[in-house]
Amino acid sequence: METPVFPRMHVSLYVSDLTATVNFYTAFFGQPAVKIRRGYAKYVLNSPALIISFVENPARVASNFGHLGFQVETVAEMEQRLDLARRAGLVAREEMGTACCYAKQDKFWVNDPDGVEWEVYYFHEDAEFNDPRYQQEYDQAAGTSQCCIAPASTEASAPTEVLTTAPMAFTLAEGPACTPGGGCC
């Protein structure tokens, strides 16, 4: 077992369908949730050092969130994670050798069932320019950073659904998601 890295970042997201979310993140993270309760699931990751929880609440799912992501240490790790994501059918797009956020990077993107984008990237080196497809968006936004966002896709090239909701792939434990004195996360 790996030794946890501290500090660890914690993120909690609202989701519309906990079953679809757990199925997606189990495939994306390559490990099962450590806790699942009615309307709640939590993953504790050592690589990246992250605790991420999901609360089923369709009314609070935000469509203008932006994206999440993590940087990997080596090209080999990038290729390994990309291969696993490809085999799971999760990859929305790949960008190898791109200049985004004024850095040369290799990256791929996945979208969870609620459309939250995840970027997994390897940083090669700083760059003095952005890839033209990002620079146009940056210029149109009058100075607000638009790099590292998904380019607008056309209906013909974009899959209408990355994942299909499978039957519940986990056992639902009864009881409250929050414990007295222990919090919800």
Side-chain angles (χ1 to χ4, degrees), residues 10-83:
H10 173 252
V11 174
S12 182
L13 299 174
Y14 295 114
V15 300
S16 56
D17 181 336
L18 190 64
T19 300
T21 298
V22 168
N23 290 338
F24 172 87
Y25 282 100
T26 296
F28 181 51
F29 293 145
Q31 71 180 57
V34 298
K35 183 187 293 184
I36 298 173
R37 300 291 188 270
R38 185 167 308 285
Y40 178 85
K42 178 172 90 171
Y43 292 79
V44 177
L45 310 173
N46 287 331
S47 180
L50 172 67
I51 297 171
I52 186 165
S53 59
F54 302 95
V55 178
E56 192 169 44
N57 187 336
R60 301 220 38 207
V61 172
S63 64
N64 58 354
F65 173 73
H67 75 273
L68 298 169
F70 56 90
Q71 178 183 7
V72 295
E73 188 174 8
T74 66
V75 170
E77 182 181 358
M78 170 69 189
E79 291 169 354
Q80 177 186 27
R81 288 180 182 269
L82 176 57
D83 183 56

Side-chain angles (χ1 to χ4, degrees), residues 49-175:
L50 172 67
I51 297 171
I52 186 165
S53 59
F54 302 95
V55 178
E56 192 169 44
N57 187 336
R60 301 220 38 207
V61 172
S63 64
N64 58 354
F65 173 73
H67 75 273
L68 298 169
F70 56 90
Q71 178 183 7
V72 295
E73 188 174 8
T74 66
V75 170
E77 182 181 358
M78 170 69 189
E79 291 169 354
Q80 177 186 27
R81 288 180 182 269
L82 176 57
D83 183 56
L84 291 171
R86 278 184 191 138
R87 285 189 277 138
L90 304 179
V91 178
R93 80 183 168 284
E94 300 175 26
E95 298 174 320
M96 300 302 151
T98 191
C100 177
C101 298
Y102 297 94
K104 181 180 174 196
Q105 304 171 9
D106 292 338
K107 63 175 73 179
F108 70 93
W109 298 82
V110 300
N111 300 315
D112 83 359
D114 286 305
V116 173
E117 293 181 307
W118 280 83
E119 169 190 28
V120 180
Y121 69 97
Y122 174 75
F123 170 84
H124 289 279
E125 62 190 3
D126 284 323
E128 295 302 317
F129 62 93
N130 274 328
D131 186 298
R133 69 180 154 207
Y134 296 120
Q135 190 61 46
Q136 181 181 8
E137 293 168 0
Y138 180 83
D139 292 343
Q140 289 173 349
T144 59
S145 178
Q146 295 297 307
C147 187
C148 298
I149 63 168
S153 59
T154 63
E155 288 298 315
S157 65
T160 55
E161 187 173 300
V162 174
L163 290 177
T164 57
T165 303
M168 192 172 282
F170 53 89
T171 303
L172 184 62
E174 292 299 322

Side-chain angles (χ1 to χ4, degrees), residues 4-8 49:
V5 176
F6 289 96
R8 285 193 269 192

